[in-house]
Amino acid sequence: DSGVTQTPKHLITATGQRVTLRCSPRSGDLSVYWYQQSLDQGLQFLIQYYNGEERAKGNILERFSAQQFPDLHSELNLSSLELGDSALYFCASSVAGQGNNEQFFGPGTRLTVL
Amino acid sequence: QQPVQSPQAVILREGEDAVINCSSSKALYSVHWYRQKHGEAPVFLMILLKGGEQKGHEKISASFNEKKQQSSLYLTASQLSYSGTYFCGTLGGSQGNLIFGKGTKLSVKP
Protein backbone atom coordinates (compact mmCIF):
# COMPACT_ATOMS: atom_id res chain seq x y z
CA ASP A 1 0.00 0.00 0.00
CA SER A 2 1.61 3.24 -1.21
CA GLY A 3 -0.56 5.51 0.92
CA VAL A 4 -2.07 7.15 -2.17
CA THR A 5 -5.79 6.59 -2.58
CA GLN A 6 -7.88 6.89 -5.73
CA THR A 7 -11.61 6.71 -6.23
CA PRO A 8 -13.49 5.22 -7.87
CA LYS A 9 -11.68 2.00 -8.72
CA HIS A 10 -13.78 1.38 -11.81
CA LEU A 11 -15.91 3.70 -13.89
CA ILE A 12 -18.09 2.78 -16.83
CA THR A 13 -19.74 5.56 -18.77
CA ALA A 14 -20.94 6.52 -22.23
CA THR A 15 -19.41 8.67 -24.93
CA GLY A 16 -20.04 12.36 -24.49
CA GLN A 17 -20.29 12.13 -20.71
CA ARG A 18 -18.17 13.80 -18.05
CA VAL A 19 -16.46 12.10 -15.11
CA THR A 20 -14.33 13.13 -12.15
CA LEU A 21 -11.49 11.03 -10.75
CA ARG A 22 -10.27 11.72 -7.27
CA CYS A 23 -6.86 11.28 -5.68
CA SER A 24 -5.57 11.75 -2.14
CA PRO A 25 -1.77 11.89 -1.86
CA ARG A 26 0.35 10.34 0.86
CA SER A 27 0.42 12.30 4.07
CA GLY A 28 3.07 15.01 3.76
CA ASP A 29 3.38 14.86 -0.03
CA LEU A 30 2.79 18.17 -1.77
CA SER A 31 3.00 17.05 -5.40
CA VAL A 32 0.35 15.15 -7.30
CA TYR A 33 0.86 13.73 -10.78
CA TRP A 34 -1.74 12.27 -13.15
CA TYR A 35 -0.89 9.58 -15.70
CA GLN A 36 -2.90 7.77 -18.34
CA GLN A 37 -1.98 4.16 -19.13
CA SER A 38 -3.28 2.43 -22.21
CA LEU A 39 -2.09 -0.86 -23.69
CA ASP A 40 -0.17 0.58 -26.61
CA GLN A 41 1.10 3.82 -25.11
CA GLY A 42 2.45 2.90 -21.73
CA LEU A 43 2.44 5.52 -18.98
CA GLN A 44 1.65 8.97 -20.36
CA PHE A 45 2.15 11.99 -18.10
CA LEU A 46 -0.84 14.31 -18.06
CA ILE A 47 -0.30 17.00 -15.45
CA GLN A 48 1.41 17.81 -12.13
CA TYR A 49 0.29 20.02 -9.25
CA TYR A 50 2.46 21.19 -6.43
CA ASN A 51 0.90 22.67 -3.31
CA GLY A 52 -2.18 23.77 -5.19
CA GLU A 53 -0.46 25.21 -8.24
CA GLU A 54 -0.02 23.65 -11.67
CA ARG A 55 3.67 22.73 -12.02
CA ALA A 56 3.98 20.83 -15.29
CA LYS A 57 1.77 19.83 -18.17
CA GLY A 58 2.11 16.92 -20.53
CA ASN A 59 0.02 15.96 -23.54
CA ILE A 60 -3.22 16.57 -21.70
CA LEU A 61 -6.24 17.06 -23.95
CA GLU A 62 -8.23 20.27 -23.72
CA ARG A 63 -11.24 18.16 -22.72
CA PHE A 64 -9.33 17.16 -19.57
CA SER A 65 -8.68 19.42 -16.62
CA ALA A 66 -7.39 18.99 -13.10
CA GLN A 67 -7.01 20.87 -9.87
CA GLN A 68 -5.46 20.43 -6.46
CA PHE A 69 -7.40 21.62 -3.45
CA PRO A 70 -6.14 23.24 -0.21
CA ASP A 71 -6.23 19.87 1.55
CA LEU A 72 -3.93 18.64 -1.30
CA HIS A 73 -6.32 16.12 -2.78
CA SER A 74 -6.65 16.37 -6.52
CA GLU A 75 -9.36 15.79 -9.07
CA LEU A 76 -9.04 14.99 -12.76
CA ASN A 77 -12.06 15.96 -14.84
CA LEU A 78 -12.62 14.29 -18.19
CA SER A 79 -15.38 15.65 -20.41
CA SER A 80 -16.93 14.90 -23.80
CA LEU A 81 -15.60 11.40 -23.38
CA GLU A 82 -14.60 9.37 -26.41
CA LEU A 83 -14.00 5.64 -26.81
CA GLY A 84 -10.27 6.30 -26.97
CA ASP A 85 -10.29 7.75 -23.45
CA SER A 86 -10.79 4.27 -22.05
CA ALA A 87 -7.67 3.60 -20.01
CA LEU A 88 -6.22 3.19 -16.55
CA TYR A 89 -5.67 6.54 -14.86
CA PHE A 90 -3.02 6.69 -12.15
CA CYS A 91 -2.36 9.37 -9.63
CA ALA A 92 1.06 9.56 -7.98
CA SER A 93 2.45 11.77 -5.25
CA SER A 94 5.86 12.90 -4.09
CA VAL A 95 7.25 15.03 -1.32
CA ALA A 96 8.60 17.90 -3.39
CA GLY A 97 7.91 19.53 -6.71
CA GLN A 98 11.06 18.63 -8.58
CA GLY A 99 11.05 15.72 -10.96
CA ASN A 100 13.86 13.91 -9.17
CA ASN A 101 11.76 12.47 -6.42
CA GLU A 102 10.39 9.01 -5.88
CA GLN A 103 6.77 8.91 -6.93
CA PHE A 104 4.24 6.81 -5.06
CA PHE A 105 1.43 5.56 -7.27
CA GLY A 106 -2.16 4.98 -6.28
CA PRO A 107 -4.09 1.85 -7.32
CA GLY A 108 -5.58 3.57 -10.36
CA THR A 109 -9.04 4.16 -11.77
CA ARG A 110 -10.06 2.03 -14.73
CA LEU A 111 -12.25 4.06 -17.06
CA THR A 112 -14.33 2.33 -19.68
CA VAL A 113 -16.16 4.48 -22.22
CA LEU A 114 -18.90 2.65 -24.12
CA GLN B 1 11.47 11.87 -26.99
CA GLN B 2 10.06 8.76 -25.41
CA PRO B 3 12.95 6.55 -24.27
CA VAL B 4 13.33 3.22 -25.99
CA GLN B 5 13.45 0.10 -23.89
CA SER B 6 14.87 -3.23 -24.91
CA PRO B 7 14.05 -6.02 -24.97
CA GLN B 8 10.27 -5.65 -25.14
CA ALA B 9 9.83 -8.93 -23.32
CA VAL B 10 12.01 -11.57 -21.72
CA ILE B 11 11.34 -14.96 -20.18
CA LEU B 12 13.68 -16.34 -17.54
CA ARG B 13 13.97 -19.36 -15.32
CA GLU B 14 14.44 -18.73 -11.62
CA GLY B 15 18.06 -17.99 -10.87
CA GLU B 16 18.88 -16.61 -14.32
CA ASP B 17 20.07 -13.08 -14.96
CA ALA B 18 18.60 -10.36 -17.17
CA VAL B 19 19.52 -6.89 -18.37
CA ILE B 20 16.96 -4.30 -19.38
CA ASN B 21 18.12 -1.30 -21.36
CA CYS B 22 16.76 2.20 -21.71
CA SER B 23 18.09 4.70 -24.20
CA SER B 24 17.21 8.26 -25.08
CA SER B 25 17.92 10.49 -28.05
CA LYS B 26 18.24 13.49 -25.73
CA ALA B 27 20.69 14.42 -23.00
CA LEU B 28 19.55 13.05 -19.67
CA TYR B 29 19.66 14.44 -16.16
CA SER B 30 18.35 11.30 -14.50
CA VAL B 31 16.80 7.92 -15.16
CA HIS B 32 14.09 6.40 -12.99
CA TRP B 33 13.09 2.74 -12.86
CA TYR B 34 9.68 1.39 -11.81
CA ARG B 35 8.18 -2.09 -11.78
CA GLN B 36 4.51 -2.80 -12.33
CA LYS B 37 2.98 -6.17 -11.56
CA HIS B 38 -0.11 -7.21 -13.45
CA GLY B 39 -3.17 -5.34 -12.22
CA GLU B 40 -1.18 -3.23 -9.77
CA ALA B 41 0.33 0.23 -9.62
CA PRO B 42 3.93 0.96 -10.61
CA VAL B 43 6.39 0.76 -7.73
CA PHE B 44 9.61 2.77 -7.48
CA LEU B 45 12.89 0.88 -7.82
CA MET B 46 15.67 3.36 -8.38
CA ILE B 47 16.79 6.79 -9.52
CA LEU B 48 20.14 7.25 -11.23
CA LEU B 49 21.38 10.82 -11.38
CA LYS B 50 23.88 12.56 -13.58
CA GLY B 51 27.17 12.49 -11.72
CA GLY B 52 26.75 9.00 -10.35
CA GLU B 53 24.38 9.38 -7.43
CA GLN B 54 21.80 6.64 -7.00
CA LYS B 55 18.71 6.43 -4.86
CA GLY B 56 16.94 3.13 -4.47
CA HIS B 57 15.05 0.91 -2.10
CA GLU B 58 15.88 -2.54 -3.32
CA LYS B 59 18.94 -4.63 -3.95
CA ILE B 60 18.75 -4.02 -7.68
CA SER B 61 21.72 -2.66 -9.54
CA ALA B 62 21.70 -0.32 -12.47
CA SER B 63 24.03 1.83 -14.49
CA PHE B 64 23.72 5.20 -16.17
CA ASN B 65 25.96 6.17 -19.06
CA GLU B 66 25.46 9.91 -19.41
CA LYS B 67 27.48 10.22 -22.60
CA LYS B 68 25.50 7.50 -24.36
CA GLN B 69 22.22 8.60 -22.77
CA GLN B 70 21.58 5.04 -21.71
CA SER B 71 20.72 3.16 -18.56
CA SER B 72 20.66 -0.54 -17.84
CA LEU B 73 18.90 -2.41 -15.06
CA TYR B 74 20.57 -5.63 -13.90
CA LEU B 75 18.42 -8.37 -12.42
CA THR B 76 20.59 -11.14 -11.04
CA ALA B 77 19.58 -14.53 -9.67
CA SER B 78 15.99 -13.74 -10.61
CA GLN B 79 13.12 -14.78 -8.37
CA LEU B 80 9.48 -15.38 -9.21
CA SER B 81 8.67 -12.07 -7.53
CA TYR B 82 10.71 -10.20 -10.15
CA SER B 83 8.01 -10.84 -12.75
CA GLY B 84 6.30 -7.74 -14.02
CA THR B 85 6.73 -4.89 -16.45
CA TYR B 86 9.72 -2.64 -15.94
CA PHE B 87 9.50 1.00 -16.99
CA CYS B 88 12.25 3.51 -17.28
CA GLY B 89 11.42 7.18 -17.01
CA THR B 90 13.77 9.93 -18.09
CA LEU B 91 14.28 13.54 -17.10
CA GLY B 92 16.10 16.05 -19.26
CA GLY B 93 16.70 18.46 -16.38
CA SER B 94 16.23 18.83 -12.63
CA GLN B 95 12.76 20.15 -13.28
CA GLY B 96 10.10 18.78 -15.54
CA ASN B 97 8.16 15.58 -15.78
CA LEU B 98 9.16 11.98 -16.34
CA ILE B 99 8.78 10.53 -19.81
CA PHE B 100 8.31 6.78 -19.56
CA GLY B 101 9.30 4.11 -22.04
CA LYS B 102 6.80 1.51 -23.20
CA GLY B 103 8.08 -1.05 -20.73
CA THR B 104 9.83 -4.42 -20.71
CA LYS B 105 7.76 -7.40 -19.67
CA LEU B 106 9.74 -9.85 -17.56
CA SER B 107 8.39 -13.30 -16.81
CA VAL B 108 10.23 -15.55 -14.38
CA LYS B 109 9.26 -19.21 -14.51
CA PRO B 110 9.98 -21.86 -11.85
Side-chain angles (χ1 to χ4, degrees):
Chain A
D1 184 357
S2 67
V4 178
T5 60
Q6 287 187 251
T7 57
K9 193 167 185 179
H10 299 278
L11 200 46
I12 300 174
T13 188
T15 54
Q17 295 298 305
R18 173 189 169 96
V19 297
T20 297
L21 312 184
R22 183 188 167 104
C23 167
S24 291
R26 285 190 328 154
S27 176
D29 284 359
L30 298 179
S31 260
V32 169
Y33 308 78
W34 286 98
Y35 292 91
Q36 179 190 59
Q37 186 175 41
S38 53
L39 280 175
D40 58 344
Q41 293 297 321
L43 275 166
Q44 297 287 312
F45 169 74
L46 295 177
I47 197 163
Q48 177 200 358
Y49 279 83
Y50 174 73
N51 205 18
E53 301 288 327
E54 183 182 303
R55 176 61 67 101
K57 214 168 185 176
N59 293 326
I60 187 168
L61 299 171
E62 284 190 13
R63 300 184 285 107
F64 296 2
S65 64
Q67 54 184 327
Q68 186 179 29
F69 295 86
D71 67 353
L72 300 178
H73 91 271
S74 177
E75 292 181 356
L76 180 67
N77 301 297
L78 315 176
S79 61
S80 302
L81 285 167
E82 301 175 359
L83 295 177
D85 297 328
S86 295
L88 196 50
Y89 290 84
F90 284 108
C91 158
S93 73
S94 68
V95 169
Q98 294 90 348
N100 261 346
N101 287 279
E102 175 181 353
Q103 293 183 24
F104 296 86
F105 282 77
T109 293
R110 182 168 294 282
L111 174 67
T112 303
V113 183
L114 300 175
Chain B
Q1 294 166 355
Q2 183 177 38
V4 177
Q5 289 187 233
S6 63
Q8 289 185 327
V10 59
I11 300 175
L12 298 175
R13 293 284 180 193
E14 265 188 299
E16 291 181 339
D17 302 338
V19 180
I20 299 173
N21 301 301
C22 173
S23 65
S24 172
S25 59
K26 297 185 73 174
L28 297 177
Y29 179 79
S30 63
V31 178
H32 303 221
W33 287 96
Y34 285 79
R35 177 173 63 210
Q36 183 178 26
K37 292 182 179 286
H38 182 68
E40 298 180 9
V43 174
F44 170 81
L45 294 176
M46 178 172 286
I47 296 175
L48 299 109
L49 293 157
K50 196 173 171 180
E53 183 184 349
Q54 295 186 5
K55 296 192 278 186
H57 293 271
E58 290 196 26
K59 293 182 181 178
I60 288 180
S61 64
S63 65
F64 178 23
N65 187 323
E66 298 165 30
K67 287 184 181 177
K68 291 187 176 180
Q69 295 147 206
Q70 292 176 347
S71 177
S72 295
L73 189 68
Y74 304 99
L75 302 166
T76 56
S78 58
Q79 304 170 16
L80 295 176
S81 62
Y82 287 10
S83 292
T85 300
Y86 289 76
F87 292 98
C88 72
T90 56
L91 266 182
S94 58
Q95 304 293 326
N97 53 273
L98 283 176
I99 301 174
F100 283 97
K102 292 193 175 183
T104 295
K105 186 173 181 180
L106 177 73
S107 300
V108 181
K109 309 289 185 186

